[in-house]
Amino acid sequence: MATLFSILPQGNDLFDKEQVKAFLLKHEKTIQQYAVDSDYQQTLLAKFISSKSS
């Protein structure tokens, strides 16, 4: 999980359609696995809840 987030396009690259498309294509299987993995979803939710309350 942390690895995937650490390689997300940053800054203006996040708005570069080609870079975002390339990222999604390269990591499509991993993203799909995260989407259906309840353990991952709970970990992600806990991370955002704790960072929001900090």
Side-chain angles (χ1 to χ4, degrees):
M1 170 179 73
T3 304
L4 186 61
F5 284 121
S6 67
I7 59 173
L8 281 169
Q10 301 291 314
N12 288 336
D13 292 342
L14 188 57
F15 300 101
D16 183 315
K17 185 177 181 177
E18 293 304 315
Q19 286 194 32
V20 171
K21 183 178 178 180
F23 174 85
L24 292 173
L25 289 172
K26 181 177 180 181
H27 301 286
E28 180 177 12
K29 288 182 182 180
T30 302
I31 293 168
Q32 288 175 352
Q33 288 174 340
Y34 286 159
V36 297
D37 184 335
S38 62
D39 290 336
Y40 167 78
Q41 293 167 0
Q42 290 175 354
T43 301
L44 182 64
L45 183 60
K47 178 181 177 179
F48 282 106
I49 289 173
S50 65
S51 67
K52 198 172 190 181
S53 62
S54 298

